[in-house]
Amino acid sequence: MIVKLSLIILGSSFTGDNFVSTTISGFKEVREEDKSQLVGNVFTNVASNYDLMNDLMSGGLHRLWKERLVSKLNPFPGMKHLDVAGGTGDVAFRILETVNSETEIYVCDINPNMLNVGKKRAVERGETKSLIWAEGDAEALDFPDNSMDGYTIAFGIRNVTHIEKALVEAHRVLKRGGRFLCLELSHVDVPLLKQVYDYYSFSIIPAVGELVAGDRESYQYLVESIRRFPPQDKFALMIADAGFQKVEYENLVAGVVAIHSGLKL
């Protein structure tokens, strides 16, 4: 069964006779084997300004959304946790703030530039003991079966080439009783707000990216990738298809973002 909650927080193509497997990167159709490189280039370009741009694009709300994600995770001392696409460490640091240093948090990201930002922040914060940084692919995690108590991915799953594979991998690495949590930009369900949000997304965000980071194209991709991401109900079904039970989601700011969760039983 899939449960929907709501919460408002203020503040295939052919080439000749050959079938070519394609995917969508932003609004552009590309070969599947090229998407990871294209996405990698985007995050290489934005890594140094990633946190600043998150603040500007969300008005600082991304901090509240991540706090909500961690509160739903309900971390406990001694847990072994995997944060995927978490290169800058934002989610990992929040988990550490709620538990002691006995906890092992693995921060996995496919982009080394994002990981370098996180490692630098960890040194500055003096939080290095409990954090293990790993370069890796969400679709092929280098972690044993049934090894993690929790799995989080924030603003990352829409960028993987095969979302289904990433979900199956999440299920594989979790222990029985382990919880999957995904925070992702999603689809607004209030018509008037949707019009305002679309204007802001396509007109303002790329312009801010150009002004602050000198990179309009990367932020144009980020906006377009949100619109290509499955709606909340469909994504919930994908999570259930990967083997998770008690799948539910919670809309924040009328669906600007959503937190999906599931249990491995």
Side-chain angles (χ1 to χ4, degrees):
M1 181 177 70
I2 296 167
V3 180
K4 174 184 176 182
L5 304 173
S6 291
L7 177 68
I8 302 277
I9 295 181
L10 295 177
S12 85
S13 64
F14 291 84
T15 302
D17 297 326
N18 298 319
F19 177 77
V20 179
S21 183
T22 61
T23 188
I24 301 294
S25 182
F27 287 156
K28 180 171 62 176
E29 188 171 322
V30 298
R31 290 173 178 265
E32 287 186 350
E33 59 268 28
D34 294 334
K35 179 176 178 179
S36 60
Q37 182 179 349
L38 290 172
V39 172
N41 290 341
V42 167
F43 284 93
T44 294
N45 292 340
V46 305
S48 61
N49 294 291
Y50 186 73
D51 291 323
L52 172 61
M53 284 299 300
N54 277 344
D55 279 330
L56 292 174
M57 289 188 298
S58 72
L61 285 176
H62 76 100
R63 299 174 184 272
L64 296 178
W65 300 335
K66 290 168 184 172
E67 293 287 353
R68 180 63 178 168
L69 178 76
V70 172
S71 72
K72 290 173 76 70
L73 175 65
N74 193 23
F76 57 88
M79 77 180 296
K80 193 173 181 181
H81 183 78
L82 176 61
D83 182 41
V84 175
T88 62
D90 249 14
V91 172
F93 296 140
R94 283 172 169 77
I95 295 173
L96 277 182
E97 289 171 359
T98 64
V99 293
N100 62 32
S101 59
E102 296 174 4
T103 303
E104 290 183 21
I105 303 177
Y106 292 81
V107 183
C108 179
D109 201 295
I110 199 169
N111 191 293
N113 294 280
M114 297 289 281
L115 286 171
N116 288 337
V117 172
K119 290 176 184 177
K120 181 179 178 181
R121 290 180 65 192
V123 171
E124 291 171 350
R125 295 166 62 104
E127 295 174 341
T128 56
K129 281 187 177 181
S130 298
L131 296 173
I132 301 97
W133 306 87
E135 186 177 340
D137 187 344
E139 296 182 27
L141 295 169
D142 192 21
F143 299 97
D145 296 356
N146 307 304
S147 60
M148 299 291 170
D149 296 297
Y151 176 114
T152 49
I153 181 166
F155 306 124
I157 202 161
R158 75 180 187 279
N159 296 310
V160 303
T161 303
H162 305 99
I163 294 173
E164 298 89 347
K165 288 184 179 180
L167 294 172
V168 168
E169 278 290 274
H171 189 271
R172 177 185 68 78
V173 301
L174 281 169
K175 301 175 184 177
R176 290 194 177 275
R179 191 164 198 190
F180 166 87
L181 283 158
C182 175
L183 170 65
E184 189 55 85
L185 292 155
S186 199
H187 297 270
V188 173
D189 56 9
V190 177
L192 182 60
L193 179 58
K194 183 179 185 304
Q195 292 178 21
V196 175
Y197 181 52
D198 283 347
Y199 174 78
Y200 175 75
S201 298
F202 287 100
S203 300
I204 305 300
I205 289 178
V208 172
E210 184 173 22
L211 179 65
V212 176
D215 187 357
R216 184 184 187 93
E217 186 175 350
S218 291
Y219 288 94
Q220 184 73 31
Y221 159 78
L222 293 175
V223 170
E224 292 173 358
S225 69
I226 298 165
R227 299 304 187 270
R228 287 291 187 179
F229 190 68
Q232 289 89 321
D233 287 333
K234 182 176 180 180
F235 185 49
L237 289 172
M238 293 170 70
I239 295 170
D241 287 344
F244 287 101
Q245 306 293 317
K246 298 185 177 180
V247 176
E248 62 182 37
Y249 68 88
E250 180 178 47
N251 279 334
L252 310 180
V253 196
V256 171
V257 298
I259 298 176
H260 283 73
S261 64
L263 290 174
K264 179 177 178 177
L265 300 177

